[in-house]
Amino acid sequence: MEAKSPVVILNEPQLAENIGAVARVMANFGLSDLRLVRPRDGWPQERAWASASGANWPLDGAQVFERLEDAVADLRLVYATTARPRETQLPVITPREAAAELKAASEAGQGVGLLFGGERAGLETGDIALCHGIVTIPIDDRFRSLNLAQAVAINAYEWRMGVFDRPREAFAHNIAEPADMESMVGLYEQLEGQLDEAGFFHPPEKRPSMVRNLRVSLGRARFTDQEVRTWRGVITALSKGRGRVLEKLARQKAEKGEG
Amino acid sequence: MEAKSPVVILNEPQLAENIGAVARVMANFGLSDLRLVRPRDGWPQERAWASASGANWPLDGAQVFERLEDAVADLRLVYATTARPRETQLPVITPREAAAELKAASEAGQGVGLLFGGERAGLETGDIALCHGIVTIPIDDRFRSLNLAQAVAINAYEWRMGVFDRPREAFAHNIAEPADMESMVGLYEQLEGQLDEAGFFHPPEKRPSMVRNLRVSLGRARFTDQEVRTWRGVITALSKGRGRVLEKLARQKAEKGEG
């Protein structure tokens, strides 16, 4: 099956000129599917088309999302591109390694994507927690400020080099197709909701980082659809199990006249 | 001998902003020696520094030449980068192949360079004739207009990838050591014990295969010791609720007079 080019997801992009420059390099390397999460100045922005030098189709077809979770919902392999390594338990790979894995997944019919952060803020750890790996471009420590369109260009170039390279052996996952991100986020939110009820997240200010760590560690398992269903059942069973214990205890209290 | 980075030669560049953008990507990938042949608007140009985002040293040290012949005079291996193939008897290679040959020559102590044409005109055949090969970036025929700084970025990136061609060392996966199997089995058995209590495994004869599937899917996550501790806490919280929900429910029952 022919590899469908990766979706380019820009999280909170700031300058419309940069979005246009991204569209231009996407067109240069045969990418076309652009998604924008909370563009700072709204969308559409005329200056984006002005700076795309005629590469209008990624802009014309760009989808805008409020939540990153929704922007990646239909994808099954997403890499986050960052300039600096992160404190996270995700694999860190080069654009070349990422291109090879994205190609293999795409040839297997899976929707794949590349996530880029905004010009100033970059990506937050919570955004990265939704991804399956971190792509780090080997830039010089003495000057790490890489232009957004340049970061897209390097990854798009590697994608194209990989597509025109000799056919690779399929990515060595002999497991079934991984679930899409919508299913995974559904699982995460069910788990986090139950843990809220159980008073797991304390102190409250630690909840975001605790949620990130849970998502990152579980995301690495690359659950299949069937496994997502199984684990949703597991969470339900454990919570219900808790309910049983509750009732038992309530009964005991009642019998002891404490009710 | 350590490889000295290739000289970047811009032939008749037009926009100072693009010269600044070139300086920026040069700095990103550890290149510093910039040479300008007949810049259209003269030199220096303040707008170049403005668009370099602080990568001033390639601009501060930029040399200006009237003739391309003089700009490449001290170099021994120069590749011309063009978007389109040319009618010439020069070898046409990819940026990756060029980076490898530039590195080898540089390590042998030879001055090496990459030549880029101006935004509009690109390179004339006469300019290319001064070079030892043509580097063609594999861009899409449907949109061949590649930004000058992007062309420099792709080549500079390949140079750097070649110089640091030890991906596994340079980009070691930053995942901490996985927990030993004793810890994992402890986690599995806690989970399975709670699921037994919750009546999850039914029919009973299916328990062994259900347990296998749970262990296989969770095992793929390769939990660290810390993550094992976290997930043991998750299971405890889900199954016991840490007593909080418990009392709440008991209270409710009492208020509803169900006690």
Side-chain angles (χ1 to χ4, degrees), chain B residues 19-255:
Chain B
I19 300 174
V22 166
R24 181 176 178 178
V25 295
M26 286 175 65
N28 285 141
F29 295 107
L31 278 55
S32 58
D33 193 343
L34 175 63
R35 301 180 183 181
L36 309 174
V37 180
R38 296 189 300 278
R40 185 190 65 185
D41 302 333
W43 192 259
Q45 288 282 323
E46 204 174 293
R47 284 166 300 129
W49 275 261
S51 67
S53 302
N56 295 334
W57 53 98
L59 299 174
D60 297 338
Q63 296 170 272
V64 180
F65 297 85
E66 262 310 301
R67 302 166 60 238
L68 177 60
E69 288 82 348
D70 301 327
V72 298
D74 60 323
L75 305 179
R76 292 168 196 275
L77 181 65
V78 180
Y79 286 119
T81 297
T82 71
R84 43 192 170 327
R86 299 310 187 92
E87 289 299 319
T88 168
Q89 293 306 308
L90 285 172
V92 176
I93 59 180
T94 65
R96 191 164 303 166
E97 294 166 324
E101 300 195 16
L102 290 169
K103 180 181 176 229
S106 181
E107 284 172 340
Q110 303 174 18
V112 299
L114 284 160
L115 171 64
F116 299 86
E119 294 89 335
R120 177 139 313 143
L123 290 170
E124 292 169 14
T125 315
D127 308 324
I128 295 172
L130 287 170
C131 302
H132 304 99
I134 296 175
V135 180
T136 297
I137 298 172
I139 58 181
D140 191 331
D141 285 330
R142 289 166 295 182
F143 191 74
R144 304 197 61 83
S145 162
L146 184 67
N147 170 274
L148 174 59
Q150 301 286 7
V152 174
I154 299 297
N155 283 280
Y157 159 78
E158 283 286 8
W159 163 265
R160 193 164 175 84
M161 284 294 284
V163 169
F164 297 105
D165 196 9
R166 294 188 206 76
R168 276 287 140 265
E169 289 173 39
F171 300 93
H173 289 198
N174 67 340
I175 297 181
E177 181 179 61
D180 59 29
M181 284 313 296
E182 182 177 12
S183 312
M184 286 306 289
V185 170
L187 173 65
Y188 295 154
E189 291 175 342
Q190 179 195 3
L191 173 67
E192 292 147 15
Q194 290 299 334
L195 289 174
D196 280 327
E197 239 185 71
F200 178 76
F201 297 114
H202 56 83
E205 59 269 27
K206 278 210 170 174
R207 187 182 191 279
S209 65
M210 292 171 80
V211 164
R212 268 200 310 277
N213 295 338
L214 290 176
R215 291 184 175 196
V216 163
S217 58
L218 205 56
R220 287 205 310 269
R222 312 288 319 275
F223 285 160
T224 65
D225 286 325
Q226 176 53 55
E227 288 169 340
V228 168
R229 285 191 291 275
T230 301
W231 280 94
R232 294 198 69 132
V234 164
I235 295 165
T236 302
L238 288 176
S239 48
K240 297 285 185 295
R242 294 192 171 172
R244 298 178 187 205
V245 182
L246 227 125
E247 280 147 27
K248 182 163 146 241
L249 211 113
R251 256 198 319 281
Q252 290 170 346
K253 283 172 173 285
E255 284 154 10

Side-chain angles (χ1 to χ4, degrees), chain A residues 24-25 27-30 52-55 57 86 88-97 136-140 142-147 149-150 153-154 157-158 160-161 175 191 194-195 197-200 202 214 217-218 220-224 227 230-231 233-234 237-239 241-242 244-247 249-250 253-254 259, chain B residues 24-25 27-30 52-55 57 94-96 137-147 149-150 153-154 157-158 160-161 167-168 171-176 191 194-195 197-200 214 217-218 220-224 227 230-231 233-235 237-242 244-247 249-250 253-254 259:
Chain A
R24 180 177 178 178
V25 295
N28 284 141
F29 295 106
S53 302
W57 54 97
R86 300 310 188 92
T88 175
Q89 294 297 312
L90 283 172
V92 176
I93 60 181
T94 65
R96 190 164 306 165
E97 293 169 318
T136 297
I137 297 171
I139 57 182
D140 191 330
R142 288 167 296 183
F143 190 74
R144 303 197 62 83
S145 162
L146 184 67
N147 171 274
Q150 301 287 5
I154 298 298
Y157 158 78
E158 283 287 8
R160 193 165 176 83
M161 286 291 285
I175 61 174
L191 173 65
Q194 289 297 335
L195 289 173
E197 256 193 50
F200 177 77
H202 59 85
L214 291 175
S217 58
L218 206 56
R220 286 204 313 267
R222 311 288 317 275
F223 285 162
T224 65
E227 288 169 339
T230 301
W231 279 95
V234 165
L238 290 175
S239 317
R242 183 177 72 224
R244 294 209 183 121
V245 177
L246 296 182
E247 279 153 29
L249 223 111
K253 284 168 171 274
Chain B
R24 181 176 178 178
V25 295
N28 285 141
F29 295 107
S53 302
W57 53 98
T94 65
R96 191 164 303 166
I137 298 172
I139 58 181
D140 191 331
D141 285 330
R142 289 166 295 182
F143 191 74
R144 304 197 61 83
S145 162
L146 184 67
N147 170 274
Q150 301 286 7
I154 299 297
Y157 159 78
E158 283 286 8
R160 193 164 175 84
M161 284 294 284
R168 276 287 140 265
F171 300 93
H173 289 198
N174 67 340
I175 297 181
L191 173 67
Q194 290 299 334
L195 289 174
E197 239 185 71
F200 178 76
L214 290 176
S217 58
L218 205 56
R220 287 205 310 269
R222 312 288 319 275
F223 285 160
T224 65
E227 288 169 340
T230 301
W231 280 94
V234 164
I235 295 165
L238 288 176
S239 48
K240 297 285 185 295
R242 294 192 171 172
R244 298 178 187 205
V245 182
L246 227 125
E247 280 147 27
L249 211 113
K253 283 172 173 285

Side-chain angles (χ1 to χ4, degrees), chain A:
Chain A
M1 161 159 202
E2 204 202 327
K4 188 174 180 304
S5 304
V7 174
V8 172
I9 305 134
L10 305 183
N11 191 56
E12 299 189 331
Q14 299 183 302
L15 297 173
E17 289 80 356
N18 287 340
I19 299 174
V22 166
R24 180 177 178 178
V25 295
M26 286 175 66
N28 284 141
F29 295 106
L31 277 55
S32 58
D33 192 344
L34 176 63
R35 301 180 183 180
L36 309 173
V37 181
R38 297 188 300 278
R40 185 190 64 185
D41 303 333
W43 192 260
Q45 287 282 322
E46 205 175 289
R47 285 166 298 128
W49 275 260
S51 67
S53 302
N56 295 335
W57 54 97
L59 300 174
D60 297 338
Q63 296 169 271
V64 181
F65 297 84
E66 260 310 300
R67 300 169 63 237
L68 178 58
E69 286 83 349
D70 300 327
V72 299
D74 59 324
L75 305 178
R76 292 170 197 272
L77 181 63
V78 181
Y79 286 119
T81 296
T82 70
R84 38 189 159 2
R86 300 310 188 92
E87 286 303 317
T88 175
Q89 294 297 312
L90 283 172
V92 176
I93 60 181
T94 65
R96 190 164 306 165
E97 293 169 318
E101 300 194 5
L102 289 169
K103 179 183 176 232
S106 181
E107 285 172 341
Q110 302 175 19
V112 299
L114 284 160
L115 171 64
F116 300 85
E119 293 89 334
R120 175 135 316 142
L123 289 170
E124 290 169 14
T125 316
D127 308 325
I128 294 173
L130 286 170
C131 301
H132 303 101
I134 296 175
V135 179
T136 297
I137 297 171
I139 57 182
D140 191 330
D141 285 331
R142 288 167 296 183
F143 190 74
R144 303 197 62 83
S145 162
L146 184 67
N147 171 274
L148 174 59
Q150 301 287 5
V152 175
I154 298 298
N155 283 279
Y157 158 78
E158 283 287 8
W159 163 265
R160 193 165 176 83
M161 286 291 285
V163 168
F164 288 141
D165 197 354
R166 271 184 264 91
R168 300 165 192 274
E169 282 188 28
F171 193 19
H173 280 328
N174 43 12
I175 61 174
E177 178 176 71
D180 60 29
M181 289 306 298
E182 182 174 22
S183 310
M184 287 306 290
V185 170
L187 173 64
Y188 294 153
E189 290 175 346
Q190 179 196 3
L191 173 65
E192 292 147 16
Q194 289 297 335
L195 289 173
D196 280 326
E197 256 193 50
F200 177 77
F201 297 114
H202 59 85
E205 60 269 26
K206 277 210 168 172
R207 187 184 191 278
S209 65
M210 294 172 80
V211 163
R212 279 198 303 272
N213 294 337
L214 291 175
R215 290 183 173 197
V216 164
S217 58
L218 206 56
R220 286 204 313 267
R222 311 288 317 275
F223 285 162
T224 65
D225 286 327
Q226 176 53 54
E227 288 169 339
V228 168
R229 284 192 292 274
T230 301
W231 279 95
R232 294 197 68 131
V234 165
I235 295 166
T236 302
L238 290 175
S239 317
K240 279 214 193 97
R242 183 177 72 224
R244 294 209 183 121
V245 177
L246 296 182
E247 279 153 29
K248 187 161 142 235
L249 223 111
R251 257 200 315 282
Q252 292 169 347
K253 284 168 171 274
E255 285 155 10
K256 293 206 223 89
E258 296 169 11

